[in-house]
Amino acid sequence: MDEQQAWLNDEEREAWLGLQSLFTLLPGVLDTDLQGLQGITLFDYHMLAMLSEAPERNLSMTDLAARTSASLSRLSHVVKKLEARGWVVRLQSKEDARVKIASLTTKGWDVLVQIAPHHVATVRSLVFDSLDDKDVKDLSRISRKIVRALDEEHWILDPA
Amino acid sequence: MDEQQAWLNDEEREAWLGLQSLFTLLPGVLDTDLQGLQGITLFDYHMLAMLSEAPERNLSMTDLAARTSASLSRLSHVVKKLEARGWVVRLQSKEDARVKIASLTTKGWDVLVQIAPHHVATVRSLVFDSLDDKDVKDLSRISRKIVRALDEEHWILDPA
């Protein structure tokens, strides 16, 4: 590699400090906020939200892993934990017994309905209240460019 | 709160899925990459880098906590861990015995010099190779707007 090219220039360094500060701070604040509500993590919440939006509130474990940017082993651990709370059940696909399904229960749905307004209000106050329409579009564009570099088949790049 | 205002609109949802996918994926990939080099985390790296840029490679624990977006208790834990590897030492300020200083050792500096080119190349390939000059400026602006909502006295908003 060309040594001149190796380092970040001033503008890149500014952007990198901004992005790194953002991902060091924001998930922790959202986590703490949710833990105070129902003892769930941001990852748990996102998983429940993805199930709630799926047809019949079911997703295969593979699709759910994609939608939560998680490995199957991490996801499996979290699904077991939320199954113990009665919010999710694991099923076998009727079409293909090898396919494992995660399904949101009525109890899980009720929990999500209860906490969603608070969580969305937090996201709005910490993220969107500070951004104008152009910022929101720019953020969509830039985040997708980076997500594509991380995983060119990531589901948000081609939502069904 | 007005119920109509509570939910994210389509553009906000797109941006939020992008940002959330980004902060779910990127830190983990960078962590794994660094762990493979010297068994250090992204947080460890950032802490060493902040010390390396400070006058005499020293920062008070309070300033270092600010520069790493960390609580003092988290930082203290990490400094102890890296002190055990001989990369950092803790000192008392000569001016004020109540002020604790973290100082990068020569060994810590050498480790950083050794791994920095690889880490920067990874950040470049995952983040900056996909972004044009406008994206980089937009990312600086947007990330600072959100960081300001999280902590209006955050150090990146007013770098010395």
Side-chain angles (χ1 to χ4, degrees), chain B residues 24-154:
Chain B
T24 308
L25 285 171
L26 184 57
V29 171
L30 293 174
D31 250 347
T32 304
D33 186 58
L34 283 168
Q35 298 267 1
L37 279 186
Q38 280 279 355
I40 72 172
T41 69
L42 182 58
F43 183 86
D44 298 342
Y45 180 91
H46 185 59
M47 203 199 79
L48 295 173
M50 291 295 107
L51 286 177
S52 76
E53 294 174 4
E56 299 179 57
R57 301 177 192 163
N58 286 350
L59 281 171
S60 73
M61 290 292 279
T62 309
D63 286 347
L64 188 55
R67 278 168 174 68
T68 52
S69 305
S71 65
L72 270 174
S73 66
R74 180 183 184 192
L75 179 66
S76 184
H77 177 78
V78 173
V79 167
K80 275 180 201 160
K81 181 184 75 174
L82 298 188
E83 193 169 29
R85 298 185 75 170
W87 299 353
V88 174
V89 286
R90 282 174 297 169
L91 310 168
Q92 268 187 349
S93 164
K94 286 168 196 158
E95 285 91 48
D96 183 344
R98 292 165 304 180
V99 174
K100 287 176 189 155
I101 306 277
S103 179
L104 187 65
T105 63
T106 304
K107 188 174 172 189
W109 169 267
D110 290 344
V111 167
L112 192 64
V113 166
Q114 187 195 328
I115 62 185
H118 177 88
H119 176 65
V120 175
T122 304
V123 169
R124 182 170 286 294
S125 76
L126 294 177
V127 178
F128 292 103
D129 283 353
S130 310
L131 304 184
D132 60 29
D133 292 351
K134 180 175 174 303
D135 294 330
V136 171
K137 277 183 193 146
D138 290 342
L139 180 57
S140 276
R141 183 188 77 249
I142 295 166
S143 58
R144 276 168 181 70
K145 283 186 176 184
I146 304 173
V147 167
R148 187 180 301 277
L150 289 159
D151 176 6
E152 63 182 23
E153 297 186 346
H154 195 281

Side-chain angles (χ1 to χ4, degrees), chain A residues 6-7 120 124 135 141 145, chain B residues 6-7 120 124 135 141 145:
Chain A
W7 301 99
V120 175
R124 182 170 287 295
D135 294 331
R141 182 188 78 249
K145 283 187 176 183
Chain B
W7 301 100
V120 175
R124 182 170 286 294
D135 294 330
R141 183 188 77 249
K145 283 186 176 184

Side-chain angles (χ1 to χ4, degrees), chain A residues 5-7 12-15 18 20 22 46 53 120 124 128 135 138 140-141 143-146 154, chain B residues 5-7 12-15 18 20-22 46 53 120 124 128 135 138 140-141 143-146:
Chain A
Q5 273 297 309
W7 301 99
E12 289 167 339
R13 183 184 146 82
E14 283 295 291
Q20 188 160 32
L22 185 57
H46 185 60
E53 294 173 5
V120 175
R124 182 170 287 295
F128 293 103
D135 294 331
D138 290 342
S140 277
R141 182 188 78 249
S143 57
R144 276 167 180 70
K145 283 187 176 183
I146 304 174
H154 195 279
Chain B
Q5 273 297 312
W7 301 100
E12 289 167 340
R13 183 183 145 80
E14 283 294 293
Q20 189 159 32
S21 300
L22 185 58
H46 185 59
E53 294 174 4
V120 175
R124 182 170 286 294
F128 292 103
D135 294 330
D138 290 342
S140 276
R141 183 188 77 249
S143 58
R144 276 168 181 70
K145 283 186 176 184
I146 304 173

